[in-house]
Amino acid sequence: MNMYNKKRMIPLALPALVLFLGVVVIPFAIGVVYSFTSWRGSYFAGGDHFWQSFVGIENYIKAFHTKKFIDSLVYTVKFTVVAVLVITFFSLFVSLLASRLKRGIASFYRTIFFLPNLLGGLALGYIWQFIFEIVYSKILFGPQGLISLPALCNMTQNNTKALFALVLLFTWQMVGYMMIIFTIGLNNIPSEMVEAARIDGASNGQVFLHITLPMLMPSFTIVLFLTLSKCFMLLDQNIALTDGNFGTRLLATQILRTTRDSAPPDYGLAQAQAVIFFILIAVVALIQVSITTKREVEI
Amino acid sequence: MIVQGQKRKDVWWVTHVLLGLLSIYTLVPLLLLFFNSFKSNNDIVTSPVAPPKVLDFSYLKNAIVQIHFFQAIGVTFIITACSLFLLVIISSLAAWVMVRLKSRFSSILYLSFAAAMLIPFQSLMYPLLNEFNFLGLKNIPGLIIMYCGFGMSMSVFLYHGFIKSVPQSLEEAATIDGANIFQMFFRVVFPLLKGTTVTVVILNGMWIWNDYLLPFLVIGNSDGVKTLTLELYFAKLISGQYGNPWELIFPAVLVTILPILITYVFLQKYIIAGVANGAVKG
């Protein structure tokens, strides 16, 4: 006899189901439908109901002809590639360093590195805006500064420099988080494996290449998934640092600001961009997970 | 042997120097934030990295008044606490039901929860606001409901992963002892999920507390109460029209992050463990 009575159990899952449907599934479905209409936010152009204002794939064609959207798409991809590489490199580097130390000291460093991750993107963005505009541009790298480096001056006022400014800020914020994941992976590598390799005469480099890296593949899957999706969906830091000016809009900012770019606000176009955004994230995430999972080794 | 020991000591030093430098790099922005919260705009711009000459609390006081600090932190706390409470109860119950009822329906449900983690907020925010406006929920209770709905996917996913490893025998024993379904869940199952609950609370709490976009869309710049992040945003937006008033921004940022810093000092062990736990399952 099954002691779990269906009739009594299912109602317990209902609140979750209702919330999930009401907040995620239904708005998402409506959003996809509205992306094919000329939705204006509070009304539909061409009729009282959405079925009277269907425009087919016009919004999608318009999206790909909107320069701001294409620019933000390219900018997001560039930012994501650079940021994912930098964050992964530094978090791996820091976890390898800390893994040589005693547990107590290593966790002390981890506590420090994780700290920025707790704070809001907006608050951090404001602090870094000050650092880039005043500390970098005047004290450190300005004409009268410590070393004169024009490349590092006024980083928030130039499209390319702002990309690296955002990478600096986001790396600073994320390294601690990713370090935790790599550290778990490193601790899971059986020490007998490394010892056996050493007895066989493997050098440090060989141990790293043939044992540490392959054994860390599950951690890479998680780290890459998290950094990829977080970079793609980044919004707060982008708004706080440059507010999308100087052609620095990321996709999330672009979708939010599309409705302010025209009068009447073109919510249909924003919605089409949002659907493209979703498809992009889903495809990239699925490809990444399937590639890195294949590289994971079974113990 | 001596050469080996010397080499090891050198490596030890290099490790500490590198990690120490990176720690300083991590902490300097926060130190600047602290220094500049006690300085006038002029002092901040002319000597941005110098510690304040005197501890002048007037800027902090001003920021607290400007961003309605006590009201804002109260609202942010209520929103975060209510969302987390509901989220924990609702998602753990749902995950338990999904694991124990081994039906096709429950596995389809679980897969759709997991898949929804890939949906970015931007792709449904406008219809969501429309829907909640229609329901008369474009307010703080509505905000709490949205957070619950949005946190549901990941929370169900985390609980589901753990409950799978909880043996049924305890629940069988409780049924034989005459416990009803609620007693069975809250007295027997729920206490076992403590570790996952910590993870769910921390991962969701971090983004709900700091979230900017949802409160911006739901509350906006109305006269009513705003969350901390929203107050900060509008303080910067309104006063920043003519250059950046750093003497307001710095103390405002400081007071908004202070509650988190204090929490972190006391609970850092749980927070790191919670994040680590979530990462392994995710």
Side-chain angles (χ1 to χ4, degrees), chain A residues 126-127 130-131 134-135, chain B residues 28-56 59-60 245-254:
Chain A
Y126 294 153
I127 303 176
F130 173 81
I131 293 177
I134 311 282
V135 181
Chain B
V28 159
L30 300 174
L31 194 68
L32 286 183
L33 167 70
F34 184 73
F35 283 172
N36 288 330
S37 294
F38 299 97
K39 284 155 51 176
S40 72
N41 221 17
N42 196 24
D43 279 353
I44 294 173
V45 176
T46 50
S47 51
V49 288
K53 293 181 198 99
V54 277
L55 274 186
D56 187 348
Y59 304 107
L60 273 174
W246 296 113
E247 64 179 21
L248 169 67
I249 306 295
F250 274 115
V253 170
L254 183 65

Side-chain angles (χ1 to χ4, degrees), chain A residues 2-6 8-10 12-13 15-17 19-28 30-32 34 39 41-42 90 93-94 97-98 100-101 105 107 109-124 126-131 133-136 138-139 168 172 177 179-181 184 204 222 225-226 233 235-236 239-240 243 251-253 255-260 267 270-271 274-275 277-278 281-282 285-286, chain B residues 7 11-12 14-16 18-20 22-23 25-27 29-30 32-33 36 44-49 90-91 93-94 96-97 100-101 103 105 109 112-113 116-128 130-132 145-150 152-153 156 168 171-172 175 180-182 184 203 206 210-213 216-217 229-230 232-233 236-237 244 246 249-250 253 256-257 260-261 264 268 271-272 275-277 279-280 282:
Chain A
N2 188 355
M3 63 167 187
Y4 299 107
N5 185 331
K6 252 188 197 175
R8 276 193 301 173
M9 294 277 280
I10 285 178
L12 300 181
L17 196 60
L19 277 169
F20 182 60
L21 284 177
V23 179
V24 181
V25 178
I26 292 173
F28 181 71
I30 293 179
V32 173
Y34 281 8
W39 186 32
S42 45
F90 271 100
F93 178 66
V94 170
L97 280 180
R100 299 159 163 273
L101 303 172
I105 306 169
S107 77
Y109 282 120
R110 200 156 54 235
T111 309
I112 292 179
F113 291 134
F114 186 72
L115 180 58
N117 204 271
L118 286 166
L119 312 177
L122 220 52
L124 297 180
Y126 294 153
I127 303 176
W128 277 88
Q129 190 188 31
F130 173 81
I131 293 177
E133 283 179 6
I134 311 282
V135 181
Y136 273 36
K138 290 190 176 156
I139 303 243
L168 272 175
W172 176 75
Y177 192 162
M179 179 190 180
I180 292 178
I181 299 167
I184 300 169
N204 279 338
I222 304 168
F225 179 79
L226 286 175
M233 299 191 211
L235 173 81
D236 297 16
I239 284 183
D243 204 20
L251 272 173
T253 315
I255 294 165
L256 183 66
R257 294 287 156 84
T258 295
T259 54
R260 282 199 220 165
Y267 279 81
Q271 212 43 61
V275 172
F277 185 43
F278 161 71
I281 289 178
L286 292 178
Chain B
K7 201 179 162 198
V11 170
W12 190 83
V14 171
T15 310
H16 267 291
L18 282 173
L19 284 174
L22 286 170
S23 305
Y25 177 77
T26 308
L27 292 176
L30 300 174
L32 286 183
L33 167 70
N36 288 330
I44 294 173
V45 176
T46 50
S47 51
V49 288
I90 295 175
S91 64
L93 263 174
W96 178 61
V97 172
R100 291 297 184 243
L101 281 185
S103 69
F105 174 70
L109 202 59
S112 35
F113 272 104
M117 283 194 286
L118 285 176
I119 298 179
F121 178 68
Q122 276 77 14
S123 63
L124 52 79
M125 62 184 177
Y126 292 128
L128 176 71
N130 235 20
E131 178 193 331
F132 272 62
I145 297 176
M146 291 185 202
Y147 281 131
C148 283
F150 246 90
M152 201 55 71
S153 286
V156 166
Q168 288 187 20
E171 293 161 39
E172 277 157 20
T175 329
N180 67 33
I181 202 156
F182 282 103
M184 182 158 93
L203 290 182
M206 264 164 37
N210 290 320
D211 189 34
Y212 149 75
L213 186 54
F216 174 75
L217 292 169
T229 313
L230 205 53
L232 184 65
Y233 175 73
K236 173 96 166 32
L237 192 72
N244 281 314
W246 296 113
I249 306 295
F250 274 115
V253 170
T256 55
I257 70 171
I260 312 174
L261 291 182
Y264 188 51
Q268 43 121 330
I271 292 176
I272 301 255
V275 170
N277 201 357
V280 175

Side-chain angles (χ1 to χ4, degrees), chain B residues 186-253:
Chain B
F186 287 107
R187 299 239 174 103
V188 179
V189 182
F190 192 71
L192 295 172
L193 308 176
K194 226 190 306 172
T196 311
T197 302
V198 171
T199 302
V200 167
V201 165
I202 285 164
L203 290 182
N204 285 297
M206 264 164 37
W207 75 267
I208 294 176
W209 181 277
N210 290 320
D211 189 34
Y212 149 75
L213 186 54
L214 252 184
F216 174 75
L217 292 169
V218 172
I219 304 173
N221 198 13
S222 61
D223 294 329
V225 285
K226 300 191 190 79
T227 63
L228 268 180
T229 313
L230 205 53
E231 288 280 5
L232 184 65
Y233 175 73
F234 282 115
K236 173 96 166 32
L237 192 72
I238 291 161
S239 60
Q241 281 164 343
Y242 314 98
N244 281 314
W246 296 113
E247 64 179 21
L248 169 67
I249 306 295
F250 274 115
V253 170

Side-chain angles (χ1 to χ4, degrees), chain A residues 175-187:
Chain A
V175 160
Y177 192 162
M178 299 308 139
M179 179 190 180
I180 292 178
I181 299 167
F182 276 130
T183 305
I184 300 169
L186 285 171
N187 289 341

